[in-house]
């Protein structure tokens, strides 16, 4: 998730090693794999709802502040294990007979949680839905060409829930018939799904359970530290947005003015620990290029390139450069990866078909080890295919939901006519397949790229009269379908490797999605009522809301109103994104691992450099830890990162309640220059 996802590499030898590790578990479970209905339990669903709520809060917080969301799948698996294991141990000590906690149940919980918090991202609460809000409309400027008051739809709890219910389930039904093709025939890796399966399998061995216990204790320790630190920070944050540790000029007041400071945020340090080094370094490089050089250079031309007397958030001034250059980098990166993954997909499918047609019929002589591995694969295949989901269920589900959605979407968004909705549902399964296949190969979900393509196409089709609303709504339809389809296929891979039933995976994904349709809007509403969402000077800037609305206006109006030289600079950065990606692909791995990622570089262009400093601190801690003790870092870095992110996320709830009750922090810690004597 996040900007687009982060790459995890899983090689075949690793999978073989993993298979050998879990053989002991498979031998004991061989004849006692629970039925699919037994894999979905009341306690599992209760834990999923609690964790889903927590992860929705974390996702909203990241979405509304910086827009980078690390993968929380591993944290979901680990916390699911911890909650149920603690519950069963507690009841056993009281003398109750409890059902054993299986890895299948653990997998179902993880699937449910990921489906739930996935909607906090693909539901558009920090992007396309918020772009329709009145505040975003006013921020861009009431007199800005193409920005019409008629294209405003402020967030409402009930219509947002209704919107999610009518679009979120289609992606699940679109690719169900292809699960065997994707997981078993093409043997797609789905690196995050495989890594999660390896983690869950290891938890349910004797040695793995011991490590899992240590990881949980580590997570709990850092969760507490993060929670109490966030609580301590609150006392000094005063009223307004210039007080407290969040505005600590750690690198001096001069750099502080250009947003270069460390803001003591456990969440961003946790993100730095969990994201690959190259992502964190790319974010810092983007911050240095934009806030260190580009914006000061453009500011020197105030009065020539743009009027000098404009407000800091006027699109005809410096603010316009910030937004449009960020957009050009995001689009350049997204377009390159889209073309690349479609090309890889076509090539792989062609290779598969030629390989299958040219296969000679031979009888291999297998040694003992190979035959054991073959038996285990056969076992997995059997379990995966045992509980079939009939194709007619998937087809009728998709057609039925598409019909309901086609009828109801124009009621929520009148400019998006029924025939446009129908058209998007006809092409959506093909896009969902491309995204799922690409995610299987690269671990890179391009859901937001498909969403942006839908946004531009529909905005320009509808035109000036309602094109902005139609484009943003269509973006939501595309984004949710392709995101949920890729998530489902990723979870099918996890289920395949943990001997979980495909039917239980599908049902838990449905239940998790239903939870997300309720929990994601409710947790967003907590932020919306408690904090000043969208204020460019506040902590919750909601950067993507402005970017998405500007994209929709661009789709309708074209480039006519950009400030002087802005289009030329945008073209340079768009081409730079394409060239950097090309270099990453054509250079050898020992060189390409140091080439930055344009998508990650784009984020600080608009928001500021402070969170890049925090994430870089996280990456430095991890780098030193890996040098001192690599095994320790591999085992516990994820737990430390999850603890830091979750603790700060939990503090958001009491902080929001205090804000709703209008209880202000007692102290404002403020820094200014010392007066000259």
């Amino acid at each position: 998730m996040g900007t687009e996802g982060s790459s995890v590499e899983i090689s075949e030898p690793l999978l073989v090693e993993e298979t050998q590790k879990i053989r002991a578990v498979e031998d004991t479970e061989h004849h006692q794999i629970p039925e699919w209905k037994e894999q979905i339990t009341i306690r599992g669903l209760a834990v999923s709802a609690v964790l889903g709520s927590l992860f929705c809060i974390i996702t909203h917080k990241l979405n509304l502040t910086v827009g980078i969301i690390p993968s929380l799948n591993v944290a979901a698996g680990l916390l699911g294990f911890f909650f149920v294991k603690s519950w069963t141990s507690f009841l056993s000590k009281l003398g109750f007979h409890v059902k054993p906690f299986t890895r299948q149940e653990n997998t179902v919980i993880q699937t449910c949680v990921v489906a739930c918090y996935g909607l906090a991202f693909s539901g558009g609460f920090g992007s396309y839905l918020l772009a329709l809000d009145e505040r975003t409309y006013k921020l861009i400027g009431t007199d800005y060409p193409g920005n019409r008051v008629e294209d405003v739809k402020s967030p409402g709890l009930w219509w947002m829930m209704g919107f999610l219910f009518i679009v979120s389930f289609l992606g699940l039904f679109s690719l169900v018939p292809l699960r065997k093709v994707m997981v078993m025939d093409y043997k797609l890796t789905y690196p995050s799904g495989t890594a999660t399966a390896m983690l869950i399998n290891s938890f349910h061995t004797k040695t793995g359970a011991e490590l899992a216990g240590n990881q949980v204790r580590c997570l709990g320790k850092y969760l507490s530290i993060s929670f109490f630190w966030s609580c301590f920070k609150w006392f000094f944050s005063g009223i307004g947005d210039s007080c407290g540790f969040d505005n600590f000029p750690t690198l001096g007041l001069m750099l502080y003015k250009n947003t270069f400071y460390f803001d003591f945020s456990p969440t961003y340090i946790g993100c730095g620990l969990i994201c690959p080094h190259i992502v964190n370094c790319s974010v810092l490089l983007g911050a240095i290029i934009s806030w260190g050089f580009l914006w000061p250079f453009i500011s020197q031309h105030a009065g020539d390139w743009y009027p000098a007397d404009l407000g800091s958030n006027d699109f005809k001034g410096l603010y316009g450069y910030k937004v449009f250059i960020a957009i050009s980098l995001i689009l350049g990166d997204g377009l390159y990866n889209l073309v690349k993954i479609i090309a890889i997909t076509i090539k792989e499918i062609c290779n598969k078909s030629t390989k299958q047609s040219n296969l000679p019929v031979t009888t291999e002589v297998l040694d003992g080890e190979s035959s054991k591995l073959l038996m285990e694969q056969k076992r997995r295949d059997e379990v995966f295919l045992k509980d079939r989901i009939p194709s007619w269920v998937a087809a009728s589900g998709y057609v039925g939901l598409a019909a309901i959605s086609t009828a109801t979407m124009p009621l929520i968004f009148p400019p998006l006519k029924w025939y446009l909705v129908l058209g998007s549902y006809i092409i959506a399964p093909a896009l969902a397949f491309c995204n799922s296949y690409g995610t299987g190969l690269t671990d890179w979900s391009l859901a937001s790229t498909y969403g942006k393509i839908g946004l531009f196409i529909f905005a320009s089709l509808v035109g000036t009269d309602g094109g902005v609303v139609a484009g943003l709504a269509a973006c939501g339809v595309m984004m949710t379908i392709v995101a949920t389809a890729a998530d489902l296929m990723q979870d099918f891979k996890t289920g395949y490797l943990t001997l979980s039933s495909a039917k239980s995976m599908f049902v838990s994904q449905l239940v998790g999605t239903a939870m997300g349709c309720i929990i994601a809007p409710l947790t967003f509403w907590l932020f919306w009522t408690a904090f000043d969402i969208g204020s460019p000077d506040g902590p919750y800037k909601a950067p993507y809301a402005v970017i998405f609305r500007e994209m929709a206006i661009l789709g309708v109006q074209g480039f006519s109103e950009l400030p002087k030289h802005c289009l030329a600079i945008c073209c340079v950065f768009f081409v730079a994104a394409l060239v950097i990606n090309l270099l990453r692909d054509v250079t050898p791995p020992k060189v390409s691992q140091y080439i930055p990622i344009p998508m990650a570089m784009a984020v600080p262009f608009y928001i500021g450099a402070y969170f890049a400093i925090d994430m870089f601190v996280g990456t430095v801690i991890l780098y030193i830890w890996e040098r001192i003790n690599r095994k320790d870092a591999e085992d516990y870095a994820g737990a430390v990162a999850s603890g830091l992110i979750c603790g700060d996320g939990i503090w958001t709830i009491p902080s929001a309640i205090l804000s709703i009750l209008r209880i202000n922090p007692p102290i404002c810690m403020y820094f200014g220059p010392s007066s000259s004597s």
Side-chain angles (χ1 to χ4, degrees), residues 222-558:
Y222 282 93
L223 187 148
S224 308
I225 291 169
S226 172
F227 179 83
F228 287 114
W229 170 247
S230 300
C231 176
F232 175 75
K233 279 203 307 181
W234 177 82
F235 284 94
F236 299 91
S237 58
I239 302 165
D241 301 310
S242 55
C243 307
F245 286 93
D246 292 346
N247 294 278
F248 200 112
T250 31
L251 303 172
L253 288 166
M254 188 67 194
L255 283 172
Y256 173 77
K257 280 180 190 165
N258 280 339
T259 73
F260 283 95
Y261 57 92
F262 176 62
D263 79 343
F264 298 92
S265 164
T267 296
Y268 304 147
I269 295 169
C271 286
L273 280 166
I274 222 168
C275 287
H277 291 307
I278 189 62
V279 170
N280 300 317
C281 293
S282 301
V283 169
L284 184 65
L285 179 64
I288 292 166
I289 289 169
S290 55
W291 292 89
F293 297 102
L294 194 58
W295 305 154
F297 171 74
I298 293 173
S299 300
Q300 288 171 5
H301 293 83
D304 174 18
W305 288 12
Y306 61 92
D309 56 349
L310 296 176
S312 61
N313 302 314
D314 195 310
F315 274 86
K316 293 185 176 68
L318 182 62
Y319 196 62
Y321 292 94
K322 291 179 185 177
V323 171
F324 286 106
I325 293 171
I327 288 173
S328 61
L329 264 177
I330 290 166
L331 290 180
D333 188 290
L335 191 68
Y336 180 90
N337 281 297
L338 180 67
V339 171
K340 172 188 159 185
I341 283 175
I342 289 172
I344 291 172
T345 302
I346 293 166
K347 186 181 165 195
E348 285 287 318
I349 291 169
C350 292
N351 285 351
K352 287 280 186 318
S353 60
T354 53
K355 275 180 199 165
Q356 282 165 359
S357 59
N358 298 333
L359 276 180
V361 181
T362 57
T363 313
E364 284 186 46
V365 180
L366 298 171
D367 60 11
E369 189 63 27
S370 302
S371 100
K372 248 185 177 179
L373 282 170
L374 207 66
M375 288 291 289
E376 276 156 14
Q377 188 180 327
K378 200 176 166 194
R379 177 74 170 150
R380 283 177 176 157
D381 292 353
E382 270 174 31
V383 172
F384 192 66
L385 294 175
K386 184 182 155 205
D387 298 312
R388 290 185 178 278
I389 303 156
S391 294
W392 67 265
V393 170
S396 54
Y398 188 83
V399 171
L401 286 165
I404 294 166
S405 187
T406 302
T408 49
M409 278 288 277
L411 300 177
I412 302 174
F413 303 107
L416 190 64
K417 304 298 181 206
W418 68 267
Y419 49 86
L420 295 173
V421 182
L422 186 62
S424 65
Y425 288 143
I426 290 167
I427 59 167
L431 299 178
F433 173 80
C434 290
N435 193 43
S436 298
Y437 199 103
T439 306
L441 292 170
T442 63
D443 209 36
W444 204 259
S445 173
L446 296 178
S448 61
T449 303
Y450 288 102
K452 285 168 202 143
I453 290 166
L455 186 155
F456 278 115
I457 291 169
F458 283 86
S460 56
L461 276 176
V462 175
T464 49
D465 190 17
V468 170
V469 173
L472 291 167
C475 170
V477 171
M478 292 292 184
M479 205 162 145
T480 44
I481 288 176
V482 298
T484 50
D487 284 349
L488 176 67
M489 218 47 77
Q490 187 111 263
D491 289 329
F492 273 142
K493 180 72 174 185
T494 306
Y496 174 75
L497 293 172
T498 57
L499 293 175
S500 304
S501 160
K503 199 176 274 187
S504 71
M505 291 285 92
F506 184 62
V507 172
S508 62
Q509 189 92 13
L510 285 173
V511 172
T513 303
M515 282 180 184
C517 290
I518 297 165
I519 293 170
L522 281 173
T523 45
F524 170 75
W525 206 246
L526 182 77
F527 282 88
W528 184 252
T529 48
F531 304 113
D532 190 15
I533 304 295
S535 165
D537 304 315
Y540 295 100
K541 293 180 176 69
Y544 282 102
V546 167
I547 285 175
F548 271 68
R549 190 173 182 93
E550 270 296 341
M551 280 196 233
I553 292 170
L554 207 60
V556 174
Q557 292 288 115

Side-chain angles (χ1 to χ4, degrees), residues 149-285:
V149 71
E150 293 88 351
D151 296 330
V152 166
K153 189 171 181 65
S154 293
L157 196 55
W158 297 113
W159 77 254
M160 290 193 302
M161 278 186 189
F163 169 73
L164 287 183
F165 269 109
I166 60 175
V167 299
S168 301
F169 293 92
L170 280 134
L172 304 181
F173 287 97
S174 63
L175 292 188
V176 168
L178 297 178
R179 70 190 183 286
K180 178 182 176 289
V181 175
M182 306 284 257
V183 175
M184 283 168 55
D185 298 349
Y186 287 167
K187 290 185 170 56
L188 294 175
T189 315
Y190 287 101
S192 287
T194 300
T196 309
M198 287 162 67
L199 183 85
I200 290 170
N201 281 332
S202 71
F203 285 169
H204 295 270
T205 62
K206 283 193 174 71
T207 50
E210 191 182 322
L211 175 63
N214 292 336
Q215 286 174 328
V216 164
R217 278 189 287 279
C218 176
L219 187 143
K221 176 181 161 188
Y222 282 93
L223 187 148
S224 308
I225 291 169
S226 172
F227 179 83
F228 287 114
W229 170 247
S230 300
C231 176
F232 175 75
K233 279 203 307 181
W234 177 82
F235 284 94
F236 299 91
S237 58
I239 302 165
D241 301 310
S242 55
C243 307
F245 286 93
D246 292 346
N247 294 278
F248 200 112
T250 31
L251 303 172
L253 288 166
M254 188 67 194
L255 283 172
Y256 173 77
K257 280 180 190 165
N258 280 339
T259 73
F260 283 95
Y261 57 92
F262 176 62
D263 79 343
F264 298 92
S265 164
T267 296
Y268 304 147
I269 295 169
C271 286
L273 280 166
I274 222 168
C275 287
H277 291 307
I278 189 62
V279 170
N280 300 317
C281 293
S282 301
V283 169
L284 184 65
L285 179 64

